[in-house]
C-alpha cells in the first residue's frame, strides 16, 4: 500500500509503530498473555473493605485516555465491558528510565490499541472501581483510527451509525457500539435454548449436505455452482427438508438441524440470500401436535431471554404466551377480502386478484395466486402470534392432504408482526402422491415459474421404503432473533450480511495524465489531491495546485523532486 493511500492519522500511527519497534518493543507479540480477570467480574466481586483483589491481570482495547502529568487514566474494553485503569509513571517505571510512561504510554499508544495490564483493584475518590497498573504490555498496535464516539450527560455524539459502514465493517461496529454485541449474544442464547429444548425431548441434532445435486425442499431460485472433479452442476441448498426426512425413513424418531440455506433472490430488511433456519422432524406426529410443540418452544425461549412472555418490537408489544390464535387460510382470506376461494379454479382466482387490484403473472398457478392474495391482503394484519392453517394443495407440494378436505393440506404458518416466522406440515409420506406433486411442479416450471421444485427421484425412492407419519417444522432463526432483540433489519442480527460491492473511485488512466506532460511518479500524488480525471484540472489555479502537490510530497515523505511552478503551468495549459 502506498503512503498516499493513508490518512494523516494512519501515517502518525505507522510512525508510532516504527518507534515502538526501534525501542525494542514488539507491538504484536506471539506469547500467551494469561488473563486472570475480566471487567464486569472485577466490578461485581471487588470489596474495598476486604481489599480482596490485590493481583489481577486483564487485557483489552484502549477506548478513552486522560493524559495528565505523572499519572493518567484510561478505559479498557474487554469481552465483558469497560473498566477504568490508573497508570502512574513511577509505578510502571521503577528505575530512572521513564520511557515506558513518558514515551510509550503518553505518545506512542493510541485509542484502539490492545494492551495487557497487571495490578491491583481500588476505588477512586469518585467511587469508580479501577485497576492500579503495575505492569503494562502492548499486545496489538492499532494502525487505523477508530470512530470516536463521545458521550456527555447521557447524550451520544459522533456515533458510528451509518448502516452501510456498520454492516460492511462489523468489526468496528462491535468495538464502538456496545449494544451490538449484546444483540448477537442474545441471538446465541436463543439458539442455545432452542437446542436445549429439543435435546430435552430426546431429538438428535444432525448435519445434511449444503451442496446438493437437486435443490429441493422449498420453492425458491437456487445458487448454482460447478463441481470440477465430477464435472456436474451443484446447487447451494435452499432447504434441508428432504435430507432430514430421509433420516426419518432411516429410523430416527426425531431429528433437527440449524442450517445455512441460500436463495438467489432479492434482499430487503427481512431477507438475506444466506440465512439460518432450524428444521425439525418428529415421527408419529401431525401438524396439530407441532402447533402445540412450537408454542411451547417459543414461550420457553422468550421466557429464558426476557423473563416474561411479552416482547417489544418497534411500536408493538408481542405476547408469546400460549395458546396462539389459529385460523385457516381460506377463512383468513374471506375475513379480510370478502371472497370465499373454496373450490375456485385458476381463472376464478385471477378474477379475484383483478378485483382486488393484485398484480399477477401468466406463470402463476393456483398456489401462487392464493399466496399473492393472502400476502397482499391478510398477512400484515397478524401482529400477535397466529397460526394460519390448512393451505390449499397447490401451495404445498410436500405436505399431506387434509384428512377432512382433499383440496387442502395439513399445514400451518406462524405469523408474527405481519411476517412468517415458522412453517410446518403433516409430512406427505405417500410416494405415489409425492411423485404426482413433483410432476405438477415440473409443469409450473415449464410455464416459466423459476421457483418451482425439481423432481427428486431419490427422495421418492426413499418414501417407497416407507416413512412413518411425521410432522416437520422450519423456523427462521434470523427473523426470530429480530423479533426477540427488537432489531428492525435482518442485517442487524447477521454478523456479516450480504452487501453490494464497495464503490471504487473511478480514475482516468495514466496515459491521459502523461499526455499532459505530467511525470508518471506524480500521477498518484495528483489523484491523492482529488483530481481523479484530467478534466478536473480544467481552470485549476497553477500556484494553488503547485502548493497542494508539493505539500503532499512533503507530508507523505515521498522523496520526489518537486516540479517548478513553470512545469505546473505547462501541465495545466495542455489541452
Amino acid at each position: 500500500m502506498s503512503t498516499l493511500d493513508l490518512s494523516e492519522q494512519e501515517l502518525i500511527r505507522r510512525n508510532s509503530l516504527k518507534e515502538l519497534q526501534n525501542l525494542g518493543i514488539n507491538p504484536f507479540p506471539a506469547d500467551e498473555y494469561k488473563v486472570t480477570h475480566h471487567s464486569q467480574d472485577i466490578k461485581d466481586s471487588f470489596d474495598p473493605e476486604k481489599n480482596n483483589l490485590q493481583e489481577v491481570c486483564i487485557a483489552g482495547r484502549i477506548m478513552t485516555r486522560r493524559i495528565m502529568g505523572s499519572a493518567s487514566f484510561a478505559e479498557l474494553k474487554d469481552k465483558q465491558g469497560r473498566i477504568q485503569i490508573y497508570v502512574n509513571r513511577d509505578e510502571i517505571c521503577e528505575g530512572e528510565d521513564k520511557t515506558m510512561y513518558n514515551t510509550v504510554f503518553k505518545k506512542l499508544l493510541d485509542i484502539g490499541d490492545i494492551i495487557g495490564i497487571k495490578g491491583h483493584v481500588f476505588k477512586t475518590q469518585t467511587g469508580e472501581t479501577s485497576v492500579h497498573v503495575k505492569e503494562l504490555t502492548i499486545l496489538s498496535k492499532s494502525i487505523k483510527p477508530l470512530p470516536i464516539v463521545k458521550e456527555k450527560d447521557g447524550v451520544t455524539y459522533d456515533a458510528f451509525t451509518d448502516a452501510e459502514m456498520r454492516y460492511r465493517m462489523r468489526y468496528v461496529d462491535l468495538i464502538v457500539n456496545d449494544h451490538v454485541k449484546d444483540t448477537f449474544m442474545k441471538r446465541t442464547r436463543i439458539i442455545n435454548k432452542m437446542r436445549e429444548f429439543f435435546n430435552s425431548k430426546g431429538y438428535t441434532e444432525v448435519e445434511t449436505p449444503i451442496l446438493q445435486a437437486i435443490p429441493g425442499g422449498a420453492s425458491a431460485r437456487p445458487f448454482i455452482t460447478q463441481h470440477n472433479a465430477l464435472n456436474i452442476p451443484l446447487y447451494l441448498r435452499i432447504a434441508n427438508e428432504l435430507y432430514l426426512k430421509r433420516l426419518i425413513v432411516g429410523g430416527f424418531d426425531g431429528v433437527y438441524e440449524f442450517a445455512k440455506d441460500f436463495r438467489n433472490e432479492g434482499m430487503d430488511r427481512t431477507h438475506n440470500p444466506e440465512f439460518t433456519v432450524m428444521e425439525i422432524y418428529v415421527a408419529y406426529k401431525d401438524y396439530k401436535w407441532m402447533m402445540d410443540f412450537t408454542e411451547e418452544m417459543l414461550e420457553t425461549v422468550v421466557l429464558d431471554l426476557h423473563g416474561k412472555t411479552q416482547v417489544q418490537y418497534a411500536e408493538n408489544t408481542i405476547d408469546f404466551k400460549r395458546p396462539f390464535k389459529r385460523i385457516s387460510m381460506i377463512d383468513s382470506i374471506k375475513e379480510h377480502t370478502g371472497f370465499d376461494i373454496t373450490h375456485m379454479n385458476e381463472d376464478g382466482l385471477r378474477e379475484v386478484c383483478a378485483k382486488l387490484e393484485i398484480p399477477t403473472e401468466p406463470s402463476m398457478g393456483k398456489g401462487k395466486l392464493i399466496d399473492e392474495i393472502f400476502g397482499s391482503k391478510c398477512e400484515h394484519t397478524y401482529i400477535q402470534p397466529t397460526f394460519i392453517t390448512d393451505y390449499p394443495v397447490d401451495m404445498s407440494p410436500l405436505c399431506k392432504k387434509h384428512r377432512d378436505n382433499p383440496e387442502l393440506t395439513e399445514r400451518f404458518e406462524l405469523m408474527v408482526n405481519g411476517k412468517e416466522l415458522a412453517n410446518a406440515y403433516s409430512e406427505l409420506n405417500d410416494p405415489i402422491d409425492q411423485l404426482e406433486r413433483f410432476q405438477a411442479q415440473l409443469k409450473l416450471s415449464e410455464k416459466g415459474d423459476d421457483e418451482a421444485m425439481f423432481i427428486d427421484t431419490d427422495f421418492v425412492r426413499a418414501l417407497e421404503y416407507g416413512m412413518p407419519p411425521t410432522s416437520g417444522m422450519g423456523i427462521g432463526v434470523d427473523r426470530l432473533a429480530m423479533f426477540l432483540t427488537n432489531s428492525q433489519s435482518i442485517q442487524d442480527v447477521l454478523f456479516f450480511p450480504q452487501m453490494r460491492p464497495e464503490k471504487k473511485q473511478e480514475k482516468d488512466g495514466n496515459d491521459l495524465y502523461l499526455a499532459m506532460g505530467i511525470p508518471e511518479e506524480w500521477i498518484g500524488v495528483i489523484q491523492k489531491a482529488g483530481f481523479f480525471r484530467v478534466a478536473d484540472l480544467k481552470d485549476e489555479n497553477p500556484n494553488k495546485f503547485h502548493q497542494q502537490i508539493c505539500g503532499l510530497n512533503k507530508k507523505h515523505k515521498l522523496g520526489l523532486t518537486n516540479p517548478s511552478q513553470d512545469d505546473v503551468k505547462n501541465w495545466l495549459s495542455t489541452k
Side-chain angles (χ1 to χ4, degrees):
M1 177 186 288
S2 167
T3 59
L4 286 170
D5 297 322
L6 303 174
S7 68
E8 184 175 358
Q9 274 293 315
E10 289 173 307
L11 286 171
I12 292 171
R13 286 177 178 240
R14 286 174 185 247
N15 288 334
S16 296
L17 178 69
K18 290 178 182 177
E19 289 189 44
L20 287 170
Q21 292 167 331
N22 291 339
L23 289 170
I25 297 172
N26 182 357
F28 307 103
D31 318 52
E32 176 190 5
Y33 192 80
K34 295 184 178 180
V35 173
T36 63
H37 294 76
H38 297 94
S39 57
Q40 193 59 48
D41 291 338
I42 290 173
K43 293 176 182 179
D44 291 342
S45 61
F46 178 61
D47 184 340
E49 292 185 4
K50 296 180 180 179
N51 203 17
N52 58 320
L53 293 177
Q54 284 299 301
E55 293 184 7
V56 298
C57 181
I58 67 173
R61 191 182 296 273
I62 299 173
M63 298 305 293
T64 62
R65 293 200 305 165
R66 298 196 305 279
I67 301 295
M68 294 176 273
S70 60
S72 300
F73 286 95
E75 188 180 44
L76 286 194
K77 180 178 181 179
D78 66 5
K79 71 174 187 177
Q80 292 185 346
R82 303 186 183 208
I83 192 165
Q84 181 173 266
I85 64 172
Y86 169 75
V87 185
N88 183 286
R89 179 189 62 200
D90 297 326
E91 295 275 1
I92 66 169
C93 307
E94 292 183 354
E96 294 296 322
D97 185 357
K98 305 299 182 185
T99 303
M100 191 63 186
Y101 181 81
N102 291 338
T103 302
V104 175
F105 182 78
K106 292 179 71 173
K107 297 179 181 179
L108 302 183
L109 288 186
D110 294 287
I111 289 175
D113 291 351
I114 298 172
I115 63 172
I117 62 165
K118 295 179 181 179
H120 67 268
V121 182
F122 74 107
K123 279 191 182 288
T124 64
Q125 291 181 347
T126 59
E128 184 167 356
T129 301
S130 307
V131 180
H132 188 130
V133 180
K134 299 289 187 179
E135 180 184 311
L136 185 150
T137 304
I138 298 174
L139 301 176
S140 183
K141 178 66 183 166
S142 169
I143 59 174
K144 208 169 189 68
L146 290 171
I148 304 299
V149 182
K150 298 181 284 292
E151 186 174 320
K152 185 177 181 181
D153 299 328
V155 179
T156 301
Y157 301 90
D158 300 324
F160 187 61
T161 55
D162 181 85
E164 181 169 349
M165 291 182 68
R166 288 182 55 234
Y167 303 149
R168 199 178 294 283
M169 297 190 294
R170 181 67 83 189
Y171 37 89
V172 177
D173 189 30
L174 287 164
I175 294 170
V176 301
N177 291 324
D178 293 338
H179 69 280
V180 173
K181 183 178 180 181
D182 181 61
T183 295
F184 286 100
M185 293 299 288
K186 286 180 179 176
R187 177 192 168 105
T188 297
R189 188 170 169 181
I190 291 165
I191 293 171
N192 288 344
K193 192 63 183 179
M194 291 172 70
R195 181 176 280 118
E196 178 186 315
F197 181 81
F198 301 143
N199 291 344
S200 73
K201 304 291 185 181
Y203 306 139
T204 304
E205 184 171 11
V206 298
E207 293 181 343
T208 61
I210 293 175
L211 287 174
Q212 301 181 352
I214 295 174
S219 297
R221 184 184 301 168
F223 287 93
I224 306 174
T225 186
Q226 177 72 17
H227 192 299
N228 291 334
L230 297 178
N231 193 28
I232 58 171
L234 289 175
Y235 302 86
L236 293 179
R237 70 176 167 208
I238 57 176
N240 49 346
E241 174 172 343
L242 302 188
Y243 282 94
L244 291 173
K245 287 197 281 193
R246 285 172 168 94
L247 297 179
I248 297 294
V249 171
F252 284 90
D253 272 5
V255 292
Y256 70 93
E257 181 178 18
F258 287 91
K260 282 288 187 183
D261 287 352
F262 306 84
R263 298 184 183 178
N264 199 353
E265 298 169 346
M267 299 187 299
D268 57 32
R269 295 179 69 84
T270 59
H271 294 88
N272 193 68
E274 174 184 351
F275 59 98
T276 302
V277 67
M278 188 292 305
E279 291 200 28
I280 185 167
Y281 294 82
V282 184
Y284 310 109
K285 307 297 183 185
D286 65 5
Y287 80 132
K288 294 181 180 179
W289 175 90
M290 188 59 80
M291 277 188 264
D292 295 337
F293 179 83
T294 302
E295 286 177 336
E296 182 186 358
M297 183 266 292
L298 286 173
E299 185 181 67
T300 300
V301 170
V302 174
L303 279 170
D304 177 74
L305 192 67
H306 293 289
K308 57 183 181 180
T309 59
Q310 294 83 22
V311 173
Q312 190 66 34
Y313 187 75
E315 70 277 7
N316 296 319
T317 300
I318 301 171
D319 195 342
F320 285 90
K321 184 174 179 57
R322 293 181 282 170
F324 301 165
K325 178 182 176 179
R326 305 180 185 192
I327 183 172
S328 74
M329 172 169 274
I330 288 176
D331 286 345
S332 175
I333 290 174
K334 186 175 181 179
E335 180 180 296
H336 288 92
T337 69
F339 290 99
D340 186 351
I341 64 169
T342 307
H343 308 305
M344 268 193 191
N345 59 19
E346 187 174 316
D347 291 337
L349 290 168
R350 288 189 183 279
E351 288 181 17
V352 170
C353 288
K355 291 176 181 177
L356 295 174
E357 299 181 342
I358 297 173
T360 62
E361 299 289 340
S363 63
M364 290 179 176
K366 283 182 63 177
K368 278 288 183 75
L369 293 169
I370 294 169
D371 195 31
E372 287 296 312
I373 295 170
F374 179 78
S376 175
K377 302 299 180 181
C378 311
E379 186 176 67
H380 64 278
T381 67
Y382 296 107
I383 304 302
Q384 298 304 319
T386 304
F387 289 117
I388 306 299
T389 68
D390 304 341
Y391 283 50
V393 169
D394 304 81
M395 294 183 67
S396 311
L398 297 170
C399 187
K400 185 172 286 189
K401 288 181 181 177
H402 199 282
R403 66 196 76 179
D404 299 322
N405 185 344
E407 291 188 0
L408 304 178
T409 59
E410 298 201 345
R411 174 185 178 185
F412 72 76
E413 285 188 333
L414 175 61
M415 298 295 162
V416 177
N417 202 61
K419 295 290 182 181
E420 174 201 341
L421 179 61
N423 188 19
Y425 307 155
S426 292
E427 300 295 337
L428 179 59
N429 60 344
D430 178 343
I432 297 172
D433 189 1
Q434 180 64 83
L435 181 59
E436 291 173 352
R437 304 271 195 99
F438 277 145
Q439 289 168 338
Q441 288 286 300
L442 180 62
K443 291 179 181 178
L444 290 176
S445 178
E446 291 169 351
K447 287 176 64 177
D449 186 347
D450 57 6
E451 293 185 352
M453 287 189 187
F454 289 51
I455 295 180
D456 190 333
T457 55
D458 179 70
F459 176 66
V460 174
R461 180 171 59 189
L463 292 184
E464 289 174 342
Y465 282 94
M467 185 176 85
T470 298
S471 183
M473 184 267 290
I475 187 166
V477 174
D478 307 320
R479 194 166 289 176
L480 177 61
M482 286 176 62
F483 292 146
L484 300 191
T485 62
N486 198 13
S487 300
Q488 307 308 305
S489 171
I490 193 171
Q491 285 89 348
D492 289 327
V493 297
L494 299 175
F495 272 128
F496 304 105
Q498 188 65 47
M499 302 290 292
R500 292 181 176 83
E502 287 189 73
K503 291 182 179 179
K504 294 185 177 180
Q505 178 65 52
E506 294 184 7
K507 302 177 182 179
D508 279 342
N510 286 5
D511 55 328
L512 296 179
Y513 292 92
L514 294 171
M516 297 175 64
I518 297 173
E520 187 170 7
E521 63 269 22
W522 280 95
I523 295 174
V525 182
I526 290 169
Q527 291 179 337
K528 176 68 175 179
F531 302 97
F532 300 107
R533 297 181 179 279
V534 295
D536 298 335
L537 294 167
K538 183 181 179 182
D539 301 326
E540 184 63 20
N541 182 292
N543 292 331
K544 180 182 176 183
F545 180 69
H546 180 265
Q547 291 175 357
Q548 213 172 346
I549 62 174
C550 291
L552 287 170
N553 182 29
K554 180 179 179 181
K555 176 182 175 181
H556 289 268
K557 300 179 181 179
L558 301 176
L560 300 177
T561 301
N562 287 334
S564 67
Q565 290 188 341
D566 288 337
D567 290 334
V568 170
K569 287 178 182 177
N570 289 334
W571 299 347
L572 299 182
S573 64
T574 304
K575 305 217 177 181

